[in-house]
Amino acid sequence: MRESIADDRTITMHSFIRLRAYCVSSFLLFSMLVFAATQAIAATSEPFSTNAVIARLISVQDGVPPGAETLSAGLDLTLSEGWKTYWRSPGEVGIPPRIDWSGSENVAGVEMLWPAPERFTAFGIENFGYKDNVVFPLRVTLGRPGEPAHLAGAVKLLICSEVCIPETFDLALALPSGSKIDADSASQISTFLSRVPAEGGQAKVTDAVASIDAKRTILTLEMKSTTPFNTPDVFAELGANTALGKPDIRLGSGGRSLWARIPILTVDDEQYHDPILTVTDGPGRAFTLTPQLISAPPAPPFRPEQVVPSLGKIVWIALVAFMGGLILNVMPCVLPVLSIKLSSAIKAQKRGVRSIRIGFLVAAVGVMSFMLFLAAILYLLQMFGVAIGWGLQFQNPAFLALMFLVLAVFSANLFGLFELALPSSLQTRLSNAGGPSGHGADFATGFFGAVMATPCSAPFLGTAIAFAFAGRGVDIIVVFTAMGLGLAFPYLLIALFPGLVAALPKPGRWMVGLKLLLGTLLFGTAIWLLWVLIGVAGLLSTIFVAALSIALLLVLVRRPFSPAPRYFAIMLLAVLPMVSAELLAHQPSTGVAPLDGKINWLAFDRGNIARLVSQGEVVFVDVTADWCLTCKANKALVLERDPVLSALNSEGVITMQADWTRPDEEISRYLEANNRYGIPFNAIYGPEAPNGIVLSEILSSQDVLTTLNAARAVGIQSSTLDIEQ
């Protein structure tokens, strides 16, 4: 029995010892795991987390090694899908991350490094930043080498998706004495440290030059590299609040020469500095350099004209241009001239079939002559780098003065104030449409009708004009020829079927009333041109043009001199209005929205579009001009009538108006960025349409309302950009 009890005690003791040993081992193992976990956590901060971003501080070292003067750390950002943050030079819209390290201990300074950015395009403006995941490497300089440190950063971060959200939060990382390495953090920091652009000789660039035009609208650069470029991108820095367009990048010399042309959309003069260029070429190459400034822009290695569009595309664009020109015939700008030709056709019934056919063919030639002349002028201006567009001649005071003078003389003749006694004069030729003195008047009527068509835009026209102005010289000729054929189609139709004239009413006393009606119509057009001239050149210039034109009419009506002095006076008074319009022109500030009206317009500000949309607003942009009759029709028939009027003035909708009556570089570049060179132009931006939805030239209530709704955000709360710049 005793032996049995002894054996039991022995077994119990052994069990107790084994149990105790197991507990001790478990405790030791747990302690080691906790210690290991503590060591791992020591290299990262507590994260800041939202639905859009997770942010934390990470460190290569889990502590401060003995004698260490610097430490390697990083700001680690993980962005949710669709969200991005910004580079040190973000463009006009974004704001780069800001960190205040003043709450740190034993930290003399922190240098933040910037990995090479990516390009984001919104609102036609290029922005630079990061998506998915980015680590900003940090070089931490200790105040007391080798002693423990506490890294504390107050972070201000702007993240954007459909809306932009400014985040403000604190991150802290304790670094006690220690010499171990956090392999995961070290790998992350090393990866993004390799993406920080190289400088100096590491760039492998032997020569870099840049040129900025006097108006600061174009940056042109060229650089040569010992290593060929493959798929480069160029990020230019010109100071805070600078907005840049998409670069045109071309390679030459087997990829060892890089040429780029970057539109400068807006510049903050107070923040402006000479260009700094960062070039990326795939994930493995990035460098930053300061180019040498030169006066003349470097020539490109090749021109886009060498990239020839397909024959099918050219044919399609020609058809589109023809349709645009055909539609122009029913636009309000051309109707007065077509009415004059109608009167000419009625009187032509006495001329015979052959004379009618020739007269209308000559009128078509007049249309084509002006269109080809305009194409040649625009191509020459394009070659010299001048901004070009459809209808831009109506921004010229001399051209407006000439048009007013012609219409005033024409309408005075229709009112019967003077007889057709100057067969050698252009004004009399115009007044003699359909008369017996040859076909000069037919040519002039067609030519003048094409001139009056240019302040109008129409469906199909914008696409054709954009193709022409962005392409080769032959593309301009093809588009303007097709457009001229469309505009001349009514003349060609009657020339082909002259019997159509017989269907018109026979000449009679009613034609006296028609002449008075046409005279009134042309006089109203002349007054409209005079009103446009006030906006383009100012009141003083307009008064002189009107006075000199009246003097010309008095000479034509009263004939106060003998023929030779009278002809000299007519020639002098025909030139002086154009000269005075140019010399006395005064152009007030541009781009200012009207102070009154049914719509609550704001002045056009391209950069402000992005800021408003980032706050959840919908922005309606209207580019208009006093000389654009289609713009006036859109305003009267659609924009200032309910239900569109109520929608545009409703909460959450911002209306911007750009006045292009006078030349304006900012508006021209905005239109060009949207592949438009004429007006009217209307676009709607919103959280669901950050790049904008361009509307048709001829607006309809349904299209405007549908697009406004499509641009709104659904279920997204707007937020404000109250983050410090």
Side-chain angles (χ1 to χ4, degrees), residues 506-530:
K506 301 299 181 184
R509 294 179 57 87
W510 63 272
M511 292 191 65
V512 176
L514 178 62
K515 286 185 64 176
L516 294 176
L517 176 62
L518 294 176
T520 303
L521 186 62
L522 288 185
F523 181 73
T525 306
I527 296 300
W528 165 70
L529 285 173
L530 206 61

Side-chain angles (χ1 to χ4, degrees), residues 419-469:
E419 297 298 327
L420 305 176
L422 295 172
S424 62
S425 169
L426 173 62
Q427 287 79 19
T428 304
R429 285 289 187 184
L430 286 172
S431 301
N432 193 32
S437 59
H439 296 286
D442 297 306
F443 178 88
T445 302
F447 189 93
F448 187 62
V451 171
M452 291 303 296
T454 53
C456 283
S457 187
F460 303 106
L461 200 60
T463 301
I465 293 295
F467 176 84
F469 290 166

